Amino acid sequence: QEVTEFEEYPFTLVKSNDKWGLINREGETVLPFRYNKVDQGWSYSTAISVVQQDDKYGIVSRENGKEIV
């Protein structure tokens, strides 16, 4: 399992079984562990993350983990 730092964010990236997702400080899953890659260069002010699932890319809300595109 691979985990990034929370820093000032309310959640952090976690890689489990070769898939990425987001958890909050309580350890609850915010973004399901189904993505091959999650862009770690995002800014908190935009509240979105770029994700890759197989050969497709999309955007998800970092506030609630819902897919936007």
Side-chain angles (χ1 to χ4, degrees):
Q1 189 171 27
E2 197 174 326
V3 180
T4 60
E5 295 292 325
F6 275 99
E7 299 178 17
E8 72 271 18
Y9 304 116
F11 35 70
T12 193
L13 294 162
V14 177
K15 187 176 186 181
S16 181
N17 296 322
D18 291 326
K19 299 291 182 181
W20 284 95
L22 288 174
I23 63 168
N24 63 20
R25 291 184 181 271
E26 289 76 38
E28 300 165 325
T29 300
V30 176
L31 181 64
F33 294 90
R34 63 177 176 214
Y35 299 99
N36 303 82
K37 185 176 180 180
V38 175
D39 181 4
Q40 297 184 42
W42 34 262
S43 164
Y44 181 73
S45 63
T46 63
I48 60 171
S49 293
V50 176
V51 293
Q52 178 185 356
Q53 186 175 3
D54 301 320
D55 62 345
K56 297 180 180 179
Y57 291 84
I59 298 173
V60 297
S61 167
R62 295 191 341 252
E63 293 176 334
N64 59 22
K66 293 187 179 185
E67 295 175 334
I68 299 169
V69 175

